[in-house]
Amino acid sequence: MAIDQGIFSRAELLVGGETMERIAQKRVIIFGVGGVGSWCAESLVRSGIHQLTIVDSDCVCITNINRQLMATTKTIGQVKVDALKERLLTINPQAEITALQKIFTQETAEEFNLDSYDYIIDAIDSLKDKALLILMACRTKAKFFSSMGAALKMDPTRIRVTEFWKVQGDPLARALRKKFKSQQQFPKRKFQCVYSDELLSNRGQHATCETESRANGTMVHVTAIFGLMLGGLVLSDITA
C-alpha cells in the first residue's frame, strides 16, 4: 500500500476515490499561519490537499504556544512557515508545501500570483493588508474564504459561517466594511467568512512578543475551530 493510500484510506471511504483525486489536484494558498491559519493548513493536508502554499513573515514566539499548531517550547525563534512545513511533511511526506516568509502588502501582492490557485484562504490580522487581499482575491477565479476576528472569544457554539456583508457582531468585519465604503472600493463578488458574534474583554495583564504591536486574549479551542472550519469550507466545496 502506497503511503498516500494508507494516510487517506478513511477519507476515501467517506468521499470516494474520484473525489480524493480532485482534492489532491487543487492548489491552495493560506495567508497567515497563526492561531487560525496553522490549524487550517493541517486540516487540509490531513484531508488530502497536496499542493499548499503557506505565507507568514513571523517567527514563533512563546506567547504563540497556547494556540498555534507548530508553536512549542522547541520551536521558539523558528520561522513560522518553516516550522509548520516541517510538521506538515511528517503528516504527508509527499505533499508539496511551499513556505513563504513574506507579508502580503500593496508592495508584495503581485509576487503571489493569486490567479494560479484554486482556493485562497485569508487568516491575516492586519486590517489594511486583509482588505487588500479581499479585493484582489475576489478578482480571481479562485474560491475565497476569510476568517474574521478569533480573539476575545470563549464560546465555540457561537462560531458561524456566513457571507461577508451578513456578518454581525464582529468588529473586524465592521472595520473592513467601513474601509471599503470610505475608499469606494468593494469586493467584486460575495465570499464566505468564519466569525463569532461574541466579544469579551481582556482581563489579564498585557504581554506580547517583540513582533506584536498589540494583542488580545485568545484560546486554542476557538482559533482552532475557526481554522478547521476554513479547511472544511474548502473540502466541502471540492466535494460538492
Side-chain angles (χ1 to χ4, degrees), residues 39-55:
W39 295 91
C40 178
E42 172 137 343
S43 71
L44 292 174
V45 171
R46 286 189 183 273
S47 301
I49 292 291
H50 279 227
Q51 302 174 78
L52 178 65
T53 298
I54 50 177
V55 183

Side-chain angles (χ1 to χ4, degrees), residues 151-162:
L152 299 176
K153 306 178 192 304
M154 282 290 292
D155 186 350
T157 68
R158 293 173 68 170
I159 301 172
R160 300 283 187 270
V161 175
T162 195

Side-chain angles (χ1 to χ4, degrees), residues 191-220:
F191 60 95
Q192 297 290 302
C193 298
V194 180
Y195 78 103
S196 167
D197 63 0
E198 182 181 24
L199 187 61
L200 304 175
S201 299
N202 287 314
R203 299 176 65 183
Q205 293 183 344
H206 188 73
T208 67
C209 292
E210 290 181 2
T211 57
E212 295 176 333
S213 58
R214 60 182 179 81
N216 285 314
T218 47
M219 295 291 276
V220 68

Side-chain angles (χ1 to χ4, degrees), residues 105-232:
T105 65
Q106 186 75 52
E107 292 71 32
T108 65
E110 297 300 332
E111 299 174 12
F112 296 99
N113 193 17
L114 296 181
D115 285 304
S116 67
Y117 293 94
D118 299 295
Y119 292 90
I120 301 170
I121 308 296
D122 160 41
I124 293 176
D125 293 327
S126 162
L127 177 66
K128 180 181 178 181
D129 299 335
K130 192 179 196 75
L132 177 63
L133 178 59
I134 290 172
L135 292 173
M136 293 189 66
C138 288
R139 297 186 194 125
T140 72
K141 294 181 180 180
K143 200 66 178 284
F144 175 62
F145 299 111
S146 180
S147 171
M148 296 297 104
L152 299 176
K153 306 178 192 304
M154 282 290 292
D155 186 350
T157 68
R158 293 173 68 170
I159 301 172
R160 300 283 187 270
V161 175
T162 195
E163 197 276 321
F164 171 68
W165 293 99
K166 296 180 180 178
V167 174
Q168 296 181 348
D170 180 90
L172 181 54
R174 186 163 55 248
L176 285 166
R177 291 193 291 256
K178 181 178 179 181
K179 186 174 183 64
F180 292 143
K181 290 175 182 176
S182 68
Q183 296 179 339
Q184 285 299 294
Q185 288 185 297
F186 300 96
K188 295 293 186 182
R189 54 184 165 90
K190 295 181 179 181
F191 60 95
Q192 297 290 302
C193 298
V194 180
Y195 78 103
S196 167
D197 63 0
E198 182 181 24
L199 187 61
L200 304 175
S201 299
N202 287 314
R203 299 176 65 183
Q205 293 183 344
H206 188 73
T208 67
C209 292
E210 290 181 2
T211 57
E212 295 176 333
S213 58
R214 60 182 179 81
N216 285 314
T218 47
M219 295 291 276
V220 68
H221 68 277
V222 171
T223 64
I225 292 172
F226 269 62
L228 295 173
M229 289 181 76
L230 287 169

Side-chain angles (χ1 to χ4, degrees), residues 62-74:
I62 194 169
T63 63
N64 301 150
I65 293 175
N66 82 312
R67 70 198 183 282
Q68 298 187 14
L69 187 70
M70 64 289 172
T72 70
T73 54
K74 292 185 178 181

